[in-house]
Amino acid sequence: MSTRTSRRLSVALLVAAAFVAGVFFVTASGSFFDGALFGSAEAQQAPVVRGDVSEGIETATELGEAFSAVAEAVNPAVVSISSTQLVQQPAMGNPFQGTPFEGFFGNPGGGGGGQAIPRSGLGSGAIVRPDGYIVTNNHVVENADELVVRFFDGTELAGEIVGTDPFADLAVVKVDAEQLPYLGFGNDDELRVGQWVIAVGSPLQQSLSNTVTAGIVSALGRAQGINGLENFIQTDASINPGNSGGPLVNLRGELIGINTAIATRTGGFQGIGFAIPVDIVENVVGQLIDTGDVERGYLGIQFTSISQSLARALDVPVGSAQISSVLGGSAAAEAGLADGDIIVSIDGEELRTSNDLLAIVANRRPGDDLDVAYIRGEDRRRATVELGARPQDEQAQRQRRDRQSNDEPAGESMDALGMELGELTDAAAQKFGYGSDASGVYVVDVERGSEAFRDANIRTGDLIVSLDGEPVRSLRAFERIYDGIGQGETFLLTLQRGRQDSRQLYRTALTK
């Protein structure tokens, strides 16, 4: 064995031993890149890292420098996201309700039937476009009334939700900024178990934002019952509450996953974290930015994994998926697939686990063709399947069409209130929790900086019951009453927030 080879082996053993003992620390170092990373428009319009900093690494010091170089480049493209949700508390009953003294003993908090209590949350995000688009988890921003995005340099900007995808637990947030440093997307096909990865985020609290941890890819294709796709990257890079939505990157500084969950018995990190793979992230982010919605392909089957004994008997990969039932009229039925068929590969790629099948199909769009290799009995067959649309997506599209066709515009006079109003449709009633007999005018949208949102506590989905003491059963009635109110006058609104059967009404006030 040569001296050089022996020295390399010794260094490798030393690094491994140091990690086992828990004493390996990243060595501080300057960047490997020439010039300022963000000092020119050209740099700002390209991903933060270009090139593989792991090339040529021979010593522990060089490995530490590689981690430092990636961390220095990636950190400015990672943000902390603070969310605030105003939770309406139930009001105390008014003993004088229905009497002339009712107005003197109303709820002092304004709207909502009680006091609005702010509930705060913290998560992380990764900038994926220089014009202010940020990817994070859906559960980080879900039901948020206000988002504040904090950057690496301490700058804070208001964030607006572009679109969400609960099925994949992903969301896109937009800030009003240009020429931001951002992360490029990596290649899912290059992911390997044992590969070095780095996680960045805000664990536990905002003062710990841009915490960098390193580890390896522990496994691929994990299912944990977290979202609908169930095809996670497992990593031992430290992830804790608050890291949700932050990036998992490779040693090129490319985004390879979005950290989303941990497996724990204590509530803290125990060496098992999960990230949504980059191919899913890139597809969802692209659709949310383009249209605000996500379309997914649909096979129309139920399936299970196969046993190891069956895999050996048929000489097929143990990750193959066995069809347990085929939905009549579905894409799978049209292609001739049947109960008991065993799907081995999609588009020439063998399934690593049966979860791969769901992830592959869900990451395609309706109308896409899949080349499916499968086994029926002892025969090996192939079929071309044109994917359909998931029933949930079709239902959502019908509801959007219904809302667009039935919701009348509120008119120019409503712009001053910061609200858009519409006639209550069946779809809107179902979405916001009103009974089948509910009718009238509901709040389609409300500007977050308006008096209606900020002071009167009016929210999207609220049903307007009366205006200035008169009942409101249509947009025309609302506009007629509103037109009779003098400019600068304060008027009362009675509203209802969901659940027609509970009849929880509340009053608030606005100024024309």
Side-chain angles (χ1 to χ4, degrees):
M1 184 182 295
S2 67
T3 301
R4 182 178 179 83
T5 302
S6 177
R7 184 171 67 251
R8 288 182 179 175
L9 287 174
S10 297
V11 169
L13 289 172
L14 176 62
V15 172
F19 265 106
V20 172
V23 296
F24 184 87
F25 294 90
V26 175
T27 305
S29 172
S31 173
F32 284 175
F33 308 101
D34 295 330
L37 276 171
F38 316 117
S40 67
E42 180 182 358
Q44 291 165 342
Q45 296 302 309
V48 293
V49 178
R50 290 155 290 173
D52 191 347
V53 299
S54 64
E55 292 178 0
I57 291 177
E58 295 186 4
T59 69
T61 299
E62 289 171 342
L63 181 61
E65 289 173 346
F67 284 133
S68 294
V70 174
E72 290 172 3
V74 167
N75 256 326
V78 181
V79 299
S80 171
I81 300 176
S82 300
S83 64
T84 302
Q85 177 187 2
L86 296 178
V87 181
Q88 197 70 41
Q89 301 298 306
M92 297 292 291
N94 186 348
F96 295 94
Q97 187 170 358
T99 74
F101 301 101
E102 175 183 355
F104 294 100
F105 296 92
N107 172 48
Q115 186 177 6
I117 305 298
R119 179 183 297 167
S120 299
L122 178 67
S124 306
I127 306 172
V128 291
R129 282 192 12 181
D131 51 349
Y133 287 95
I134 298 164
V135 61
T136 185
N137 285 137
N138 174 65
H139 72 258
V140 170
V141 301
E142 191 173 24
N143 298 321
D145 292 310
E146 182 181 49
L147 295 177
V148 176
V149 178
R150 189 173 189 270
F151 292 81
F152 184 55
D153 64 0
T155 301
E156 292 187 351
L157 295 175
E160 291 290 335
I161 298 174
V162 174
T164 62
D165 181 22
F167 187 76
D169 193 19
L170 290 170
V172 173
V173 173
K174 179 74 166 63
V175 294
D176 187 11
E178 298 290 340
Q179 294 191 347
L180 295 174
Y182 70 99
L183 299 180
F185 293 111
N187 187 344
D188 180 69
D189 293 334
E190 295 178 357
L191 282 177
R192 296 292 183 270
V193 174
Q195 173 182 337
W196 282 108
V197 289
I198 294 175
V200 189
S202 306
L204 305 177
Q205 58 194 55
Q206 194 172 57
S207 62
L208 297 177
S209 63
N210 291 86
T211 293
V212 177
T213 57
I216 62 170
V217 173
S218 303
L220 297 169
R222 291 300 201 203
Q224 290 296 308
I226 300 169
N227 65 19
L229 290 177
E230 296 302 294
N231 195 42
F232 296 102
I233 303 168
Q234 181 184 328
T235 179
D236 66 350
S238 294
I239 298 172
N240 280 289
N243 279 113
S244 290
L248 190 71
V249 302
N250 59 21
L251 287 190
R252 295 191 185 99
E254 297 168 332
L255 182 70
I256 60 170
I258 292 295
N259 303 318
T260 193
I262 59 176
T264 177
R265 294 179 179 177
T266 65
F269 180 69
Q270 290 187 291
I272 304 175
F274 300 99
I276 303 168
V278 64
D279 59 331
I280 295 173
V281 175
E282 187 172 9
N283 175 44
V284 170
V285 166
Q287 292 195 60
L288 288 179
I289 291 176
D290 290 342
T291 68
D293 292 307
V294 178
E295 289 186 326
R296 288 193 168 84
Y298 185 68
L299 264 180
I301 65 171
Q302 291 183 328
F303 62 91
T304 63
S305 57
I306 64 172
S307 65
Q308 298 216 8
S309 60
L310 183 59
R312 287 194 300 268
L314 298 178
D315 189 25
V316 296
V318 73
S320 301
Q322 183 169 228
I323 298 176
S324 55
S325 66
V326 176
L327 182 67
S330 66
E334 293 292 329
L337 295 176
D339 298 0
D341 289 348
I342 297 174
I343 298 176
V344 176
S345 68
I346 301 290
D347 290 341
E349 294 290 329
E350 291 185 350
L351 301 180
R352 295 172 299 187
T353 72
S354 58
N355 292 325
D356 281 355
L357 176 59
L358 175 61
I360 292 170
V361 172
N363 215 33
R364 303 292 181 88
R365 298 192 185 189
D368 287 353
D369 289 336
L370 292 184
D371 179 22
V372 179
Y374 65 100
I375 294 176
R376 179 175 296 172
E378 296 182 358
D379 297 334
R380 295 177 182 264
R381 305 185 179 190
R382 306 187 80 89
T384 299
V385 182
E386 181 180 343
L387 294 176
R390 294 174 66 242
Q392 299 94 319
D393 294 340
E394 290 181 333
Q395 181 181 8
Q397 289 170 2
R398 284 196 299 269
Q399 290 176 346
R400 284 194 295 272
R401 287 195 297 268
D402 290 343
R403 187 166 64 248
Q404 290 167 357
S405 62
N406 291 322
D407 286 349
E408 299 178 23
E412 186 175 350
S413 63
M414 296 304 100
D415 292 342
L417 294 179
M419 294 190 296
E420 180 185 352
L421 305 180
E423 305 282 0
L424 186 67
T425 64
D426 290 341
Q430 181 179 10
K431 177 179 179 181
F432 295 110
Y434 297 107
S436 58
D437 59 341
S439 63
V441 175
Y442 85 107
V443 180
V444 178
D445 193 20
V446 56
E447 295 178 10
R448 294 189 176 182
S450 65
E451 178 192 358
F453 183 93
R454 185 183 63 251
D455 297 333
N457 193 33
I458 296 174
R459 296 292 179 263
T460 299
D462 285 353
L463 187 65
I464 299 175
V465 177
S466 72
L467 170 64
D468 203 32
E470 295 188 46
V472 174
R473 295 185 177 89
S474 67
L475 272 175
R476 183 170 297 179
F478 184 99
E479 291 172 347
R480 175 185 58 78
I481 301 168
Y482 183 77
D483 288 343
I485 299 172
Q487 195 67 33
E489 291 184 5
T490 297
F491 57 92
L492 297 179
L493 286 159
T494 302
L495 305 105
Q496 180 182 334
R497 185 165 294 166
R499 294 193 56 79
Q500 174 79 4
D501 56 347
S502 69
R503 302 300 299 175
Q504 292 182 350
L505 305 180
Y506 63 89
R507 298 201 304 172
T508 188
L510 284 172
T511 301
K512 184 172 180 179

